[in-house]
């Protein structure tokens, strides 16, 4: 999916919500555990219940890998299901990969050839050759970690460079712009650091940002929109636990829909305020 | 496996070689492609042919993920095979993972509960809570990226901190020592940066280092040993392509053994010179 198509979807759905499929076998409703593939059964119902309210889904790979082969099967089925039934959805592999070029090539093969993801999250530590192999596919995206939503973000991401005073996350934003464009790169910026978005927008005014951390992690959607929205919206705001675990009973899909709708209504208002609708 | 046991193996095998299982379906000998699980068949022969010459195996996850479910099956079978038949081997998941605590927990479950790896490579960008979940398992290890062997290492890893002049990889080494000990943490330091090992040893004198980049990437084993060896050896030097693809014909296992032996003979000499045997 390209940038224009993504913005079209945002306008059509009146939403820039990404639903995070952090589907944990230990947390899904008990009645699903008797089905042959509980994780896929859970995802399918969540997707059917939320697909008109969001523009993206983001399976978090750790949850699938923790189940081994069967988890990987559930993941492949989930991506295939979305792609077949809701082809207008943008599908993100939240994988935080990144290795020497030779190896990143293989990860790209895994997520873009083997499965039909639109984007993959990548960690920047290993630099250019670890990131670029993901950008050789037409209309596929790298989403590079810039400023993450967790406490550990303070360990290294704010270190100031003695040559120019830039913080590490700023250097990541600046340097990586030489590797790709706003048509094949996005950045992860945590909602818990919303006050930094203004600064970030001076460096990457046009790029889409994937924003985790609204909801369970405490970030504010209004702040994110205030400082982060651009002329093509430029935001995909993720919510995982707040939506998919809104209930852990037989009404989980209905409650997930209600939770997603609450976010979508707020997003519609923010898009209207920004005169994007 | 704990540190003492690892050093015992190094002395017994007279080797600190780690064989990297970067097993690529496009590169393995043609005659194996007709078996039901070519990647496992390849790994099994490589392992049987090299196990007395090395102390560790390191499957590179990208190669398995690129094959989807069947790749994940080959990986699980490979780890199981090593664990059952050669329990004295140290098994490293070269996965370069790292995510918010909640998610890193699940990756730890994948590699240490679901599969019985001894260690997993982790990227430091997201800081403490992305790394610590891997250290809650007894005798399991995090191998944190410090200074990598690729060209992209120069993009961020050498950035100097304006507060103390430390380069980023040095800060990673120093900060992360508060998270674990030499009994549950190692560091990745590329052989292509061997001249940096002297400096690195002033920061982490006792930790084991996993050193990729000897062989295909051009690093020198002698230099690595000269600057990096400590009283417990403290080195696991990885070779992947130079060993596993020494031949791509029916003699591949025999040629892999010969290539591994060449490295082992050099390592034995270096261990003798250091008076560790």
């Amino acid at each position: 999916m390209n940038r224009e198509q993504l913005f079209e979807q945002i306008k059509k759905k009146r939403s820039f919500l990404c639903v995070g499929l952090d589907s944990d076998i230990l947390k899904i409703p008990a009645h699903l555990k008797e089905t042959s593939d509980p994780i896929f059964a859970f995802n399918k119902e969540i997707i059917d219940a939320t697909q008109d309210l969001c523009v993206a889904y983001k399976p978090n790979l750790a949850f699938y890998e923790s189940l081994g082969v069967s988890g990987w099967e559930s993941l492949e089925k989930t991506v295939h299901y979305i792609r077949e039934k809701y082809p207008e959805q943008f599908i993100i592999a939240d994988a935080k990969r990144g290795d020497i070029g030779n190896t990143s090539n293989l990860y790209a093969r895994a997520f873009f050839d083997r499965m039909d993801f639109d984007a993959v999250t990548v960690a920047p530590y290993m630099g250019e050759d670890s990131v670029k192999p993901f950008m050789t596919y037409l209309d596929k995206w790298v989403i590079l970690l810039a400023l993450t939503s967790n406490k550990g973000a303070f360990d290294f991401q704010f270190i100031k460079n003695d040559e120019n005073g830039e913080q590490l996350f700023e250097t990541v934003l600046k340097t990586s712009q030489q590797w790709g464009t706003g048509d094949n790169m996005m950045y992860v910026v945590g909602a818990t650091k919303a006050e930094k978005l203004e600064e970030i927008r001076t460096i990457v005014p046009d790029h889409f940002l994937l924003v985790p951390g609204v909801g369970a992690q405490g970030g504010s959607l209004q702040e994110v929109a205030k400082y982060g929205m651009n002329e093509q919206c430029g935001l995909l705001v993720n919510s995982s636990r707040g939506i998919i675990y809104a209930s852990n009973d037989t009404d989980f899909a209905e409650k997930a829909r209600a939770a997603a709708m609450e976010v979508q209504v707020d997003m519609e208002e923010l898009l209207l305020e920004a005169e994007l609708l």
Side-chain angles (χ1 to χ4, degrees), chain A:
Chain A
M1 186 181 293
N2 66 34
R3 181 153 57 160
E4 285 63 39
Q5 289 165 333
L6 181 56
F7 184 41
E8 281 308 309
Q9 285 302 316
I10 289 171
K11 288 188 284 188
K12 189 177 154 200
K13 303 268 186 75
R14 309 171 85 83
S15 168
F16 46 99
L17 174 62
C18 172
V19 174
L21 298 172
D22 296 15
S23 308
D24 188 342
I25 192 76
L26 303 177
K27 286 191 190 166
I28 66 173
H31 73 282
L32 293 176
K33 291 182 188 163
E34 283 144 40
T35 60
S36 64
D37 186 341
I39 293 292
F40 177 64
F42 176 77
N43 286 350
K44 193 169 164 297
E45 289 205 47
I46 292 284
I47 292 160
D48 288 340
T50 56
Q51 54 82 25
D52 57 320
L53 304 169
C54 67
V55 295
Y57 288 102
K58 179 174 75 62
N60 179 330
L61 275 277
F63 289 81
Y64 302 85
E65 288 184 18
S66 72
L67 300 174
V69 171
S70 80
W72 207 261
E73 275 169 356
S74 306
L75 176 66
E76 290 194 355
K77 279 158 75 178
T78 300
V79 175
H80 187 75
Y81 183 76
I82 302 169
R83 190 54 82 219
E84 288 291 303
K85 196 149 176 207
Y86 309 111
E88 77 285 2
Q89 291 287 343
F90 189 81
I91 317 177
I92 301 166
D94 197 1
K96 313 278 198 309
R97 298 299 195 264
D99 206 314
I100 62 171
N102 166 46
T103 298
S104 274
N105 256 320
L106 273 283
Y107 281 126
R109 227 197 261 172
F111 296 117
F112 296 153
D113 273 343
R114 181 86 205 175
M115 291 183 277
D116 195 8
F117 280 103
D118 292 289
V120 85
T121 58
V122 176
Y125 194 74
M126 293 182 68
E128 181 171 4
D129 62 282
S130 69
V131 176
K132 279 183 109 169
F134 295 99
M135 296 194 282
T136 58
Y137 291 73
L138 182 70
D139 292 341
K140 300 288 187 184
W141 299 72
V142 160
I143 309 181
L144 196 66
L145 302 186
L147 194 51
T148 59
S149 58
N150 64 324
K151 189 160 165 282
F154 292 100
D155 287 321
F156 307 119
Q157 297 169 24
F158 290 92
I159 287 175
K160 277 191 185 168
N161 187 328
D162 80 340
E163 275 181 24
N164 51 24
E166 267 175 27
Q167 299 168 93
L168 180 58
F169 76 89
E170 295 172 305
T171 307
V172 167
L173 290 167
K174 287 186 185 173
T175 303
S176 62
Q177 281 182 79
Q178 300 159 23
W179 308 340
T181 70
D183 290 311
N184 59 11
M185 290 193 83
M186 302 185 182
Y187 295 99
V188 172
V189 178
T192 50
K193 313 279 186 312
E195 74 286 359
K196 292 280 170 192
L197 276 165
E198 202 166 10
E199 198 178 322
I200 286 168
R201 277 300 184 204
T202 66
I203 308 173
V204 284
D206 300 326
H207 286 69
F208 260 86
L209 307 177
L210 172 64
V211 184
V214 164
Q217 293 181 60
S220 147
L221 177 63
Q222 282 67 27
E223 295 264 296
V224 168
K226 181 175 170 191
Y227 297 115
M229 202 175 271
N230 68 18
E231 287 174 6
Q232 285 188 312
C233 180
L235 295 170
L236 291 175
V237 171
N238 183 75
S239 177
S240 304
R241 288 170 270 180
I243 291 176
I244 69 173
Y245 301 130
S247 157
N248 68 352
D249 212 332
T250 50
D251 64 349
F252 74 98
E254 194 185 316
K255 288 285 163 61
R257 178 171 180 78
M261 192 175 285
E262 212 171 296
V263 182
Q264 183 273 325
V265 167
D266 287 348
M267 287 180 168
E268 180 167 352
E269 196 171 317
L270 293 163
L271 287 165
L272 284 167
E273 274 173 28
E275 299 183 357
L276 294 178
L277 296 182

